[in-house]
Amino acid sequence: MRRTREEVDATLQIAKLNAAELLPAVHCLGFGPGAGAAAGDFCLLELEPSLCQQLEAGHSLVIRGDKDKQAVLCSKDKTYDLKIADTSNMLLFIPGCKTPDQLKTEETHCNIIHTEYTTEDLLDQIQASEEEIMAQLQVLNACEIEGYWRILDFDYEMKLLNHITQLVDSESWSFGKVPLNTCLQELGPLEPEEMIEHCLKCYGKRYVEEGEVYFELSADKICRATAQMLLQNAVKFNLAEFEEVWQQSVPEGMITTLDQLKGLALVDRQSRPEIIFLLKVDDLPEDNQEHFNSLFSLREK
């Protein structure tokens, strides 16, 4: 299991440990091609018929899960709970490992490495199938840069989007037909081309016509992002005033509706005047009871 620098530092602080006093070596265990087939080397796995058919057809199943979480079994497109019967008859003999006393006698330096996440890292650590992980990365507008996944700062994302919408307006293009190559040529001097294309992918749908690549920009996504930009700078917003400012802030020709803000904002129609404020569903607790408690506490206020 890999951890980020921040996670390691936080763990050390909680444990009241000094990083300089830690042993610098880590042993990563794995079964090599020469592993024997003695008793205990394998586990018996009971599967439903559809999963058995996938294995028999040559497809793979993957067991995923952090050490402090419930393990799951993932097929290409689904995730299953995994139950295990514990046994006390387990022992590993690992050639080449060194004991703490042996490590102390060697001249070593402590170095905690910051780990970024590749697709392989995410598949190793997240309890979900590959298709589910990739779908969620798309929901988060994550981008892959030099093999590592990153989520852009929202203000920077809006800066990119503003460049694109202004170019569409100045060129009198239709939002349904935005040419990729021209965007890259015109905006390339301002921002990295891969970031411009990433923004187009986040807020539009790619298609090819007569050999040219175009994007059909989504009015709903652009209106939603604009609303988030306005709401993040205010604790609460007069609903009528917000709707007026919001409509004035989106590109000409786009129509704003409160339906575009589902899962992003909460409207309080009991207050006078009516108000709206930012409330991301993704930021609420995952536990169902805590999730509802948070919502009801907001309602009481």
Side-chain angles (χ1 to χ4, degrees), residues 138-155:
Q138 187 174 359
V139 170
L140 295 172
N141 287 348
C143 61
E144 192 175 14
I145 302 174
E146 297 180 350
Y148 295 97
W149 286 99
R150 293 176 172 85
I151 297 177
L152 300 183
D153 178 79
F154 180 69
D155 289 338

Side-chain angles (χ1 to χ4, degrees), residues 83 171 197 268:
K83 306 297 182 181
E171 298 291 337
E197 185 170 1
D268 186 352

Side-chain angles (χ1 to χ4, degrees), residues 223 226-227 229-231 237-251 256:
C223 290
T226 304
M229 179 186 64
L230 295 173
L231 291 171
F237 214 128
N238 180 298
L239 179 60
E241 293 178 356
F242 167 76
E243 289 183 300
E244 182 179 354
V245 173
W246 183 25
Q247 182 60 61
Q248 294 173 351
S249 301
V250 300
T256 59

Side-chain angles (χ1 to χ4, degrees), residues 200-233:
L200 287 168
K201 291 178 180 178
C202 291
Y203 291 93
K205 182 178 180 181
R206 183 182 185 275
Y207 67 95
V208 178
E209 184 177 297
E210 297 180 352
E212 291 290 331
V213 178
Y214 296 92
F215 281 87
E216 179 183 358
L217 296 183
S218 168
D220 286 344
K221 289 183 178 181
I222 293 175
C223 290
R224 181 183 175 91
T226 304
Q228 181 177 341
M229 179 186 64
L230 295 173
L231 291 171
Q232 71 178 4
N233 296 320

Side-chain angles (χ1 to χ4, degrees), residues 20-251:
E21 298 175 355
L22 298 181
L23 297 175
V26 175
H27 292 293
C28 297
L29 308 182
F31 292 99
D41 284 351
F42 299 97
C43 293
L44 182 65
L45 184 64
E46 183 179 3
L47 301 173
E48 63 178 36
S50 63
L51 289 178
C52 287
Q53 292 171 5
Q54 290 187 39
L55 285 178
E56 292 169 352
H59 300 295
S60 298
L61 301 177
V62 182
I63 296 175
R64 296 192 176 115
D66 236 340
K67 70 175 184 179
D68 59 346
K69 295 182 179 179
Q70 174 69 34
V72 297
L73 182 71
C74 298
S75 65
K76 181 180 179 181
D77 58 351
K78 292 184 179 179
T79 303
Y80 300 83
D81 284 334
L82 189 65
K83 306 297 182 181
I84 187 170
D86 293 329
T87 173
S88 60
N89 189 24
M90 299 177 65
L91 185 64
L92 288 177
F93 291 93
I94 309 165
C97 278
K98 297 180 180 180
T99 66
D101 290 336
Q102 290 173 320
L103 289 170
K104 288 178 182 178
T105 63
E106 299 180 358
E107 293 184 3
T108 54
H109 300 280
C110 182
N111 183 26
I112 301 175
I113 301 174
H114 174 69
T115 303
E116 297 173 305
Y117 292 96
T118 64
T119 299
E120 184 179 355
D121 295 330
L122 297 176
L123 291 174
D124 284 343
Q125 298 185 35
I126 297 178
Q127 295 171 293
S129 69
E130 182 173 356
E131 288 190 5
E132 290 170 322
I133 291 173
M134 300 310 292
Q136 186 59 32
L137 287 172
Q138 187 174 359
V139 170
L140 295 172
N141 287 348
C143 61
E144 192 175 14
I145 302 174
E146 297 180 350
Y148 295 97
W149 286 99
R150 293 176 172 85
I151 297 177
L152 300 183
D153 178 79
F154 180 69
D155 289 338
Y156 178 63
E157 188 176 300
M158 290 304 298
K159 179 182 178 182
L160 293 171
L161 182 60
N162 187 53
H163 283 320
I164 293 171
T165 56
Q166 286 184 350
L167 180 62
V168 171
D169 180 65
S170 65
E171 298 291 337
S172 299
W173 292 334
S174 164
F175 281 103
K177 194 173 183 179
V178 179
L180 172 61
N181 286 336
T182 306
C183 277
L184 298 180
Q185 292 170 5
E186 295 294 328
L187 302 178
L190 302 176
E191 301 292 344
E193 291 186 359
E194 58 268 26
M195 292 295 96
I196 298 168
E197 185 170 1
H198 171 71
C199 188
L200 287 168
K201 291 178 180 178
C202 291
Y203 291 93
K205 182 178 180 181
R206 183 182 185 275
Y207 67 95
V208 178
E209 184 177 297
E210 297 180 352
E212 291 290 331
V213 178
Y214 296 92
F215 281 87
E216 179 183 358
L217 296 183
S218 168
D220 286 344
K221 289 183 178 181
I222 293 175
C223 290
R224 181 183 175 91
T226 304
Q228 181 177 341
M229 179 186 64
L230 295 173
L231 291 171
Q232 71 178 4
N233 296 320
V235 177
K236 294 182 179 180
F237 214 128
N238 180 298
L239 179 60
E241 293 178 356
F242 167 76
E243 289 183 300
E244 182 179 354
V245 173
W246 183 25
Q247 182 60 61
Q248 294 173 351
S249 301
V250 300

